[in-house]
Amino acid sequence: MAKKIENILIVAWLTSFTAMLGSLYFSVVRQFEPCSLCWYQRILMYPIVIILLIGIIRRDTTAAIYSFVFSIIGILVSSYHYANQKLPFLQDAVPSCGRVPCSGQYINWFGFVTIPFLALTAFTIIAVCSLIIIRNTKERE
């Protein structure tokens, strides 16, 4: 595996690992109870940490295919969740997703950075890194 591809794989893993630690910080340390959509985003992010770590250890770029699929689904869920928080016409129509409403915003840094926005950013970085790895691997074949 070329050093460039290996570095991109590490960037994707660090992004997923940071997102995982961030979600645990918000729920365990700050005591923010996750809504249902937050749980779905965690269900999609946590396996990426393991998949990419195995890819790094085994020096296997096919891990990028799996992380790409998980991250694309994560982008869709995070985008929907973020839209529920920020678009007024969706806020009124959002059903309660359990004890915590999915339109709730525990944080709102700079008026736009919420937890789903952070997840969306992480999923996007992972998807871009994964796509770069996939394309570079195909060119080498």
Side-chain angles (χ1 to χ4, degrees):
M1 174 171 25
K3 191 66 175 169
K4 174 186 169 187
I5 294 174
E6 187 176 349
N7 288 340
I8 295 171
L9 195 60
I10 291 170
V11 167
W13 178 77
L14 284 172
T15 302
S16 65
F17 187 68
T18 302
M20 181 188 73
L21 291 179
S23 73
L24 292 172
Y25 167 77
F26 284 130
S27 63
V28 175
V29 177
R30 298 287 301 270
Q31 299 291 308
F32 296 161
E33 184 177 345
C35 70
S36 295
L37 289 174
C38 287
W39 278 115
Y40 293 134
Q41 290 165 80
R42 288 178 181 203
I43 289 167
L44 293 164
M45 183 64 73
Y46 289 14
I48 295 174
V49 177
I50 297 166
I51 291 167
L52 291 176
L53 182 60
I54 292 169
I56 291 167
I57 292 169
R58 296 190 65 197
R59 301 175 61 86
D60 183 4
T61 57
T62 58
I65 296 168
Y66 307 114
S67 64
F68 181 73
V69 172
F70 276 94
S71 61
I72 292 299
I73 298 168
I75 286 170
L76 296 173
V77 174
S78 297
S79 297
Y80 175 69
H81 192 183
Y82 188 64
N84 284 336
Q85 289 182 327
K86 294 299 183 181
L87 299 175
F89 70 91
L90 284 177
Q91 287 177 347
D92 298 334
V94 174
S96 175
C97 348
R99 295 184 340 171
V100 178
C102 290
S103 60
Q105 300 177 38
Y106 286 116
I107 64 169
N108 192 10
W109 301 330
F110 310 112
F112 71 95
V113 178
T114 63
I115 294 172
F117 181 84
L118 293 172
L120 175 61
T121 303
F123 281 124
T124 302
I125 292 169
I126 295 164
V128 168
C129 288
S130 298
L131 191 58
I132 291 169
I133 293 166
I134 293 165
R135 286 191 174 182
N136 280 314
T137 303
K138 286 189 178 194
E139 288 175 6
R140 292 179 177 266
E141 292 177 357

